[in-house]
Amino acid sequence: MSFVMLVGMSAYIWHLYKLKKKNGVTYKIPIKDILGVAFLFLLSGFLFVYSLLDLPNVLANKTKQYKGDCEIIIFDITRGGHTEVNFGKNSVMFPQDYQGIEEGNYYCEVEYYPRTEQGKSLELYQSKGGKLINQK
């Protein structure tokens, strides 16, 4: 998504430049339009670079693992949401409705990508050494 925004903002800026040059008309672009486009351009660039941080780890299949007590929190908003697995100070994110799990406290075994803390796999148990609830 961030890549699409980055390309879109670049195309818009290029279009404005070409339009101005083609018509030979000198006009001022309102400052709010310039600031809006610049903000969206920088935001999309930041999000694109942030999403690439774990690309070497994904390609090399290098993950970290956490085992221990965790709390599952499901964020459900109108445009989507996500499932978050909290381990005290650390948290790992999974897509919304991941494995159909429910909120609560579990014993978790999580595999995740370290830089962005995006989850790869999640195993939930009732307690340590207990019954496996979900696995994907």
PDB file of all heavy atoms in Angstrom, residues 85-111:
ATOM      1  N   VAL A  85      -0.186 -10.116  20.168  1.00  0.00           N
ATOM      2  CA  VAL A  85       0.235 -11.034  21.218  1.00  0.00           C
ATOM      3  C   VAL A  85       1.226 -10.285  22.093  1.00  0.00           C
ATOM      4  O   VAL A  85       2.302  -9.912  21.637  1.00  0.00           O
ATOM      5  CB  VAL A  85       0.888 -12.302  20.610  1.00  0.00           C
ATOM      6  CG1 VAL A  85       1.293 -13.269  21.695  1.00  0.00           C
ATOM      7  CG2 VAL A  85      -0.048 -12.969  19.610  1.00  0.00           C
ATOM      8  N   ASN A  86       0.865 -10.038  23.341  1.00  0.00           N
ATOM      9  CA  ASN A  86       1.692  -9.249  24.258  1.00  0.00           C
ATOM     10  C   ASN A  86       2.449 -10.149  25.224  1.00  0.00           C
ATOM     11  O   ASN A  86       1.871 -11.038  25.839  1.00  0.00           O
ATOM     12  CB  ASN A  86       0.831  -8.274  25.063  1.00  0.00           C
ATOM     13  CG  ASN A  86       0.284  -7.170  24.203  1.00  0.00           C
ATOM     14  OD1 ASN A  86       0.930  -6.705  23.284  1.00  0.00           O
ATOM     15  ND2 ASN A  86      -0.935  -6.756  24.504  1.00  0.00           N
ATOM     16  N   PHE A  87       3.740  -9.859  25.353  1.00  0.00           N
ATOM     17  CA  PHE A  87       4.619 -10.536  26.304  1.00  0.00           C
ATOM     18  C   PHE A  87       5.241  -9.473  27.197  1.00  0.00           C
ATOM     19  O   PHE A  87       6.396  -9.124  27.027  1.00  0.00           O
ATOM     20  CB  PHE A  87       5.755 -11.267  25.586  1.00  0.00           C
ATOM     21  CG  PHE A  87       5.309 -12.185  24.506  1.00  0.00           C
ATOM     22  CD1 PHE A  87       5.402 -11.808  23.174  1.00  0.00           C
ATOM     23  CD2 PHE A  87       4.804 -13.423  24.809  1.00  0.00           C
ATOM     24  CE1 PHE A  87       5.003 -12.654  22.176  1.00  0.00           C
ATOM     25  CE2 PHE A  87       4.401 -14.279  23.810  1.00  0.00           C
ATOM     26  CZ  PHE A  87       4.499 -13.899  22.491  1.00  0.00           C
ATOM     27  N   GLY A  88       4.511  -8.928  28.088  1.00  0.00           N
ATOM     28  CA  GLY A  88       5.049  -7.864  28.937  1.00  0.00           C
ATOM     29  C   GLY A  88       5.318  -6.619  28.118  1.00  0.00           C
ATOM     30  O   GLY A  88       4.413  -5.966  27.624  1.00  0.00           O
ATOM     31  N   LYS A  89       6.606  -6.283  27.923  1.00  0.00           N
ATOM     32  CA  LYS A  89       6.972  -5.077  27.173  1.00  0.00           C
ATOM     33  C   LYS A  89       6.933  -5.291  25.665  1.00  0.00           C
ATOM     34  O   LYS A  89       6.857  -4.335  24.909  1.00  0.00           O
ATOM     35  CB  LYS A  89       8.378  -4.623  27.566  1.00  0.00           C
ATOM     36  CG  LYS A  89       8.488  -4.150  28.987  1.00  0.00           C
ATOM     37  CD  LYS A  89       9.895  -3.720  29.303  1.00  0.00           C
ATOM     38  CE  LYS A  89      10.019  -3.252  30.735  1.00  0.00           C
ATOM     39  NZ  LYS A  89      11.384  -2.867  31.078  1.00  0.00           N
ATOM     40  N   ASN A  90       7.036  -6.523  25.206  1.00  0.00           N
ATOM     41  CA  ASN A  90       7.085  -6.812  23.766  1.00  0.00           C
ATOM     42  C   ASN A  90       5.726  -7.253  23.251  1.00  0.00           C
ATOM     43  O   ASN A  90       4.924  -7.833  23.986  1.00  0.00           O
ATOM     44  CB  ASN A  90       8.111  -7.908  23.479  1.00  0.00           C
ATOM     45  CG  ASN A  90       9.500  -7.519  23.910  1.00  0.00           C
ATOM     46  OD1 ASN A  90       9.851  -6.346  23.896  1.00  0.00           O
ATOM     47  ND2 ASN A  90      10.297  -8.495  24.303  1.00  0.00           N
ATOM     48  N   SER A  91       5.498  -6.969  21.980  1.00  0.00           N
ATOM     49  CA  SER A  91       4.267  -7.435  21.344  1.00  0.00           C
ATOM     50  C   SER A  91       4.558  -7.818  19.899  1.00  0.00           C
ATOM     51  O   SER A  91       5.426  -7.243  19.251  1.00  0.00           O
ATOM     52  CB  SER A  91       3.176  -6.374  21.406  1.00  0.00           C
ATOM     53  OG  SER A  91       3.556  -5.243  20.671  1.00  0.00           O
ATOM     54  N   VAL A  92       3.828  -8.803  19.425  1.00  0.00           N
ATOM     55  CA  VAL A  92       3.951  -9.300  18.056  1.00  0.00           C
ATOM     56  C   VAL A  92       2.583  -9.179  17.414  1.00  0.00           C
ATOM     57  O   VAL A  92       1.566  -9.520  18.019  1.00  0.00           O
ATOM     58  CB  VAL A  92       4.435 -10.766  18.039  1.00  0.00           C
ATOM     59  CG1 VAL A  92       4.513 -11.299  16.622  1.00  0.00           C
ATOM     60  CG2 VAL A  92       5.781 -10.896  18.738  1.00  0.00           C
ATOM     61  N   MET A  93       2.551  -8.679  16.170  1.00  0.00           N
ATOM     62  CA  MET A  93       1.276  -8.464  15.488  1.00  0.00           C
ATOM     63  C   MET A  93       1.017  -9.551  14.446  1.00  0.00           C
ATOM     64  O   MET A  93       1.925  -9.996  13.754  1.00  0.00           O
ATOM     65  CB  MET A  93       1.247  -7.096  14.819  1.00  0.00           C
ATOM     66  CG  MET A  93       1.184  -5.980  15.802  1.00  0.00           C
ATOM     67  SD  MET A  93       0.835  -4.339  15.130  1.00  0.00           S
ATOM     68  CE  MET A  93       1.323  -4.390  13.471  1.00  0.00           C
ATOM     69  N   PHE A  94      -0.252  -9.930  14.339  1.00  0.00           N
ATOM     70  CA  PHE A  94      -0.739 -10.869  13.338  1.00  0.00           C
ATOM     71  C   PHE A  94      -1.946 -10.231  12.650  1.00  0.00           C
ATOM     72  O   PHE A  94      -2.537  -9.296  13.190  1.00  0.00           O
ATOM     73  CB  PHE A  94      -1.177 -12.183  14.007  1.00  0.00           C
ATOM     74  CG  PHE A  94      -0.037 -13.019  14.513  1.00  0.00           C
ATOM     75  CD1 PHE A  94       0.425 -12.886  15.809  1.00  0.00           C
ATOM     76  CD2 PHE A  94       0.583 -13.940  13.684  1.00  0.00           C
ATOM     77  CE1 PHE A  94       1.469 -13.645  16.275  1.00  0.00           C
ATOM     78  CE2 PHE A  94       1.635 -14.708  14.138  1.00  0.00           C
ATOM     79  CZ  PHE A  94       2.085 -14.568  15.433  1.00  0.00           C
ATOM     80  N   PRO A  95      -2.340 -10.748  11.480  1.00  0.00           N
ATOM     81  CA  PRO A  95      -3.522 -10.199  10.809  1.00  0.00           C
ATOM     82  C   PRO A  95      -4.785 -10.368  11.657  1.00  0.00           C
ATOM     83  O   PRO A  95      -4.825 -11.181  12.579  1.00  0.00           O
ATOM     84  CB  PRO A  95      -3.637 -11.034   9.530  1.00  0.00           C
ATOM     85  CG  PRO A  95      -2.308 -11.662   9.351  1.00  0.00           C
ATOM     86  CD  PRO A  95      -1.696 -11.802  10.707  1.00  0.00           C
ATOM     87  N   GLN A  96      -5.803  -9.613  11.282  1.00  0.00           N
ATOM     88  CA  GLN A  96      -7.080  -9.696  11.987  1.00  0.00           C
ATOM     89  C   GLN A  96      -7.642 -11.108  11.852  1.00  0.00           C
ATOM     90  O   GLN A  96      -7.501 -11.756  10.820  1.00  0.00           O
ATOM     91  CB  GLN A  96      -8.060  -8.682  11.393  1.00  0.00           C
ATOM     92  CG  GLN A  96      -9.390  -8.644  12.103  1.00  0.00           C
ATOM     93  CD  GLN A  96     -10.323  -7.630  11.476  1.00  0.00           C
ATOM     94  OE1 GLN A  96     -10.085  -7.147  10.393  1.00  0.00           O
ATOM     95  NE2 GLN A  96     -11.393  -7.319  12.170  1.00  0.00           N
ATOM     96  N   ASP A  97      -8.305 -11.580  12.895  1.00  0.00           N
ATOM     97  CA  ASP A  97      -8.929 -12.910  12.933  1.00  0.00           C
ATOM     98  C   ASP A  97      -7.933 -14.020  12.621  1.00  0.00           C
ATOM     99  O   ASP A  97      -8.257 -15.000  11.961  1.00  0.00           O
ATOM    100  CB  ASP A  97     -10.116 -12.985  11.964  1.00  0.00           C
ATOM    101  CG  ASP A  97     -11.232 -12.045  12.356  1.00  0.00           C
ATOM    102  OD1 ASP A  97     -11.407 -11.822  13.560  1.00  0.00           O
ATOM    103  OD2 ASP A  97     -11.904 -11.533  11.453  1.00  0.00           O
ATOM    104  N   TYR A  98      -6.714 -13.884  13.081  1.00  0.00           N
ATOM    105  CA  TYR A  98      -5.683 -14.890  12.852  1.00  0.00           C
ATOM    106  C   TYR A  98      -6.068 -16.176  13.555  1.00  0.00           C
ATOM    107  O   TYR A  98      -6.245 -16.199  14.770  1.00  0.00           O
ATOM    108  CB  TYR A  98      -4.331 -14.381  13.358  1.00  0.00           C
ATOM    109  CG  TYR A  98      -3.173 -15.274  13.030  1.00  0.00           C
ATOM    110  CD1 TYR A  98      -2.679 -15.331  11.740  1.00  0.00           C
ATOM    111  CD2 TYR A  98      -2.576 -16.051  13.997  1.00  0.00           C
ATOM    112  CE1 TYR A  98      -1.602 -16.136  11.423  1.00  0.00           C
ATOM    113  CE2 TYR A  98      -1.505 -16.863  13.695  1.00  0.00           C
ATOM    114  CZ  TYR A  98      -1.026 -16.907  12.404  1.00  0.00           C
ATOM    115  OH  TYR A  98       0.032 -17.711  12.089  1.00  0.00           O
ATOM    116  N   GLN A  99      -6.256 -17.240  12.832  1.00  0.00           N
ATOM    117  CA  GLN A  99      -6.612 -18.571  13.322  1.00  0.00           C
ATOM    118  C   GLN A  99      -7.928 -18.610  14.076  1.00  0.00           C
ATOM    119  O   GLN A  99      -8.235 -19.596  14.735  1.00  0.00           O
ATOM    120  CB  GLN A  99      -5.510 -19.132  14.239  1.00  0.00           C
ATOM    121  CG  GLN A  99      -4.176 -19.275  13.605  1.00  0.00           C
ATOM    122  CD  GLN A  99      -3.140 -19.776  14.613  1.00  0.00           C
ATOM    123  OE1 GLN A  99      -3.379 -19.809  15.815  1.00  0.00           O
ATOM    124  NE2 GLN A  99      -2.000 -20.150  14.113  1.00  0.00           N
ATOM    125  N   GLY A 100      -8.672 -17.551  14.049  1.00  0.00           N
ATOM    126  CA  GLY A 100      -9.940 -17.529  14.773  1.00  0.00           C
ATOM    127  C   GLY A 100      -9.778 -17.565  16.282  1.00  0.00           C
ATOM    128  O   GLY A 100     -10.674 -18.003  17.001  1.00  0.00           O
ATOM    129  N   ILE A 101      -8.642 -17.100  16.785  1.00  0.00           N
ATOM    130  CA  ILE A 101      -8.388 -17.143  18.228  1.00  0.00           C
ATOM    131  C   ILE A 101      -9.199 -16.089  18.956  1.00  0.00           C
ATOM    132  O   ILE A 101      -9.669 -15.123  18.367  1.00  0.00           O
ATOM    133  CB  ILE A 101      -6.880 -16.977  18.538  1.00  0.00           C
ATOM    134  CG1 ILE A 101      -6.355 -15.649  18.003  1.00  0.00           C
ATOM    135  CG2 ILE A 101      -6.093 -18.135  17.992  1.00  0.00           C
ATOM    136  CD1 ILE A 101      -4.907 -15.393  18.336  1.00  0.00           C
ATOM    137  N   GLU A 102      -9.351 -16.297  20.242  1.00  0.00           N
ATOM    138  CA  GLU A 102     -10.108 -15.362  21.068  1.00  0.00           C
ATOM    139  C   GLU A 102      -9.168 -14.649  22.032  1.00  0.00           C
ATOM    140  O   GLU A 102      -8.097 -15.146  22.349  1.00  0.00           O
ATOM    141  CB  GLU A 102     -11.185 -16.120  21.847  1.00  0.00           C
ATOM    142  CG  GLU A 102     -12.218 -16.765  20.952  1.00  0.00           C
ATOM    143  CD  GLU A 102     -13.260 -17.541  21.759  1.00  0.00           C
ATOM    144  OE1 GLU A 102     -13.228 -17.464  23.007  1.00  0.00           O
ATOM    145  OE2 GLU A 102     -14.080 -18.201  21.141  1.00  0.00           O
ATOM    146  N   GLU A 103      -9.608 -13.494  22.509  1.00  0.00           N
ATOM    147  CA  GLU A 103      -8.817 -12.750  23.483  1.00  0.00           C
ATOM    148  C   GLU A 103      -8.691 -13.562  24.765  1.00  0.00           C
ATOM    149  O   GLU A 103      -9.574 -14.339  25.120  1.00  0.00           O
ATOM    150  CB  GLU A 103      -9.476 -11.402  23.790  1.00  0.00           C
ATOM    151  CG  GLU A 103      -9.368 -10.418  22.670  1.00  0.00           C
ATOM    152  CD  GLU A 103      -9.877  -9.043  23.059  1.00  0.00           C
ATOM    153  OE1 GLU A 103     -10.606  -8.912  24.065  1.00  0.00           O
ATOM    154  OE2 GLU A 103      -9.540  -8.079  22.354  1.00  0.00           O
ATOM    155  N   GLY A 104      -7.570 -13.368  25.439  1.00  0.00           N
ATOM    156  CA  GLY A 104      -7.378 -14.048  26.714  1.00  0.00           C
ATOM    157  C   GLY A 104      -5.910 -14.245  27.023  1.00  0.00           C
ATOM    158  O   GLY A 104      -5.029 -13.789  26.285  1.00  0.00           O
ATOM    159  N   ASN A 105      -5.645 -14.958  28.099  1.00  0.00           N
ATOM    160  CA  ASN A 105      -4.284 -15.262  28.519  1.00  0.00           C
ATOM    161  C   ASN A 105      -3.981 -16.721  28.201  1.00  0.00           C
ATOM    162  O   ASN A 105      -4.783 -17.613  28.503  1.00  0.00           O
ATOM    163  CB  ASN A 105      -4.109 -14.999  30.018  1.00  0.00           C
ATOM    164  CG  ASN A 105      -4.239 -13.530  30.343  1.00  0.00           C
ATOM    165  OD1 ASN A 105      -3.673 -12.683  29.656  1.00  0.00           O
ATOM    166  ND2 ASN A 105      -4.992 -13.209  31.374  1.00  0.00           N
ATOM    167  N   TYR A 106      -2.814 -16.958  27.605  1.00  0.00           N
ATOM    168  CA  TYR A 106      -2.415 -18.282  27.163  1.00  0.00           C
ATOM    169  C   TYR A 106      -0.920 -18.466  27.427  1.00  0.00           C
ATOM    170  O   TYR A 106      -0.210 -17.530  27.774  1.00  0.00           O
ATOM    171  CB  TYR A 106      -2.653 -18.458  25.655  1.00  0.00           C
ATOM    172  CG  TYR A 106      -4.075 -18.264  25.210  1.00  0.00           C
ATOM    173  CD1 TYR A 106      -4.513 -17.022  24.754  1.00  0.00           C
ATOM    174  CD2 TYR A 106      -4.969 -19.314  25.226  1.00  0.00           C
ATOM    175  CE1 TYR A 106      -5.819 -16.846  24.323  1.00  0.00           C
ATOM    176  CE2 TYR A 106      -6.277 -19.146  24.802  1.00  0.00           C
ATOM    177  CZ  TYR A 106      -6.693 -17.912  24.351  1.00  0.00           C
ATOM    178  OH  TYR A 106      -7.977 -17.742  23.925  1.00  0.00           O
ATOM    179  N   TYR A 107      -0.455 -19.682  27.167  1.00  0.00           N
ATOM    180  CA  TYR A 107       0.970 -19.945  27.032  1.00  0.00           C
ATOM    181  C   TYR A 107       1.223 -19.994  25.533  1.00  0.00           C
ATOM    182  O   TYR A 107       0.573 -20.752  24.815  1.00  0.00           O
ATOM    183  CB  TYR A 107       1.366 -21.274  27.698  1.00  0.00           C
ATOM    184  CG  TYR A 107       2.841 -21.551  27.577  1.00  0.00           C
ATOM    185  CD1 TYR A 107       3.749 -20.983  28.457  1.00  0.00           C
ATOM    186  CD2 TYR A 107       3.327 -22.372  26.568  1.00  0.00           C
ATOM    187  CE1 TYR A 107       5.108 -21.216  28.343  1.00  0.00           C
ATOM    188  CE2 TYR A 107       4.683 -22.616  26.441  1.00  0.00           C
ATOM    189  CZ  TYR A 107       5.570 -22.041  27.332  1.00  0.00           C
ATOM    190  OH  TYR A 107       6.916 -22.262  27.197  1.00  0.00           O
ATOM    191  N   CYS A 108       2.136 -19.171  25.057  1.00  0.00           N
ATOM    192  CA  CYS A 108       2.336 -19.010  23.608  1.00  0.00           C
ATOM    193  C   CYS A 108       3.731 -19.423  23.177  1.00  0.00           C
ATOM    194  O   CYS A 108       4.699 -19.246  23.913  1.00  0.00           O
ATOM    195  CB  CYS A 108       2.157 -17.543  23.205  1.00  0.00           C
ATOM    196  SG  CYS A 108       0.573 -16.849  23.606  1.00  0.00           S
ATOM    197  N   GLU A 109       3.789 -19.926  21.959  1.00  0.00           N
ATOM    198  CA  GLU A 109       5.053 -20.117  21.256  1.00  0.00           C
ATOM    199  C   GLU A 109       4.902 -19.364  19.943  1.00  0.00           C
ATOM    200  O   GLU A 109       4.090 -19.727  19.110  1.00  0.00           O
ATOM    201  CB  GLU A 109       5.338 -21.601  21.020  1.00  0.00           C
ATOM    202  CG  GLU A 109       5.586 -22.365  22.299  1.00  0.00           C
ATOM    203  CD  GLU A 109       5.909 -23.828  22.073  1.00  0.00           C
ATOM    204  OE1 GLU A 109       6.073 -24.250  20.901  1.00  0.00           O
ATOM    205  OE2 GLU A 109       5.995 -24.556  23.082  1.00  0.00           O
ATOM    206  N   VAL A 110       5.681 -18.297  19.813  1.00  0.00           N
ATOM    207  CA  VAL A 110       5.534 -17.392  18.674  1.00  0.00           C
ATOM    208  C   VAL A 110       6.844 -17.323  17.902  1.00  0.00           C
ATOM    209  O   VAL A 110       7.914 -17.215  18.485  1.00  0.00           O
ATOM    210  CB  VAL A 110       5.159 -15.968  19.156  1.00  0.00           C
ATOM    211  CG1 VAL A 110       5.076 -15.004  17.999  1.00  0.00           C
ATOM    212  CG2 VAL A 110       3.865 -15.993  19.920  1.00  0.00           C
ATOM    213  N   GLU A 111       6.719 -17.381  16.588  1.00  0.00           N
ATOM    214  CA  GLU A 111       7.849 -17.133  15.701  1.00  0.00           C
ATOM    215  C   GLU A 111       7.558 -15.815  14.997  1.00  0.00           C
ATOM    216  O   GLU A 111       6.462 -15.613  14.475  1.00  0.00           O
ATOM    217  CB  GLU A 111       7.940 -18.258  14.662  1.00  0.00           C
ATOM    218  CG  GLU A 111       9.322 -18.740  14.407  1.00  0.00           C
ATOM    219  CD  GLU A 111       9.333 -19.900  13.425  1.00  0.00           C
ATOM    220  OE1 GLU A 111       8.373 -20.662  13.355  1.00  0.00           O
ATOM    221  OE2 GLU A 111      10.340 -19.992  12.725  1.00  0.00           O
TER     222      GLU A 111
END
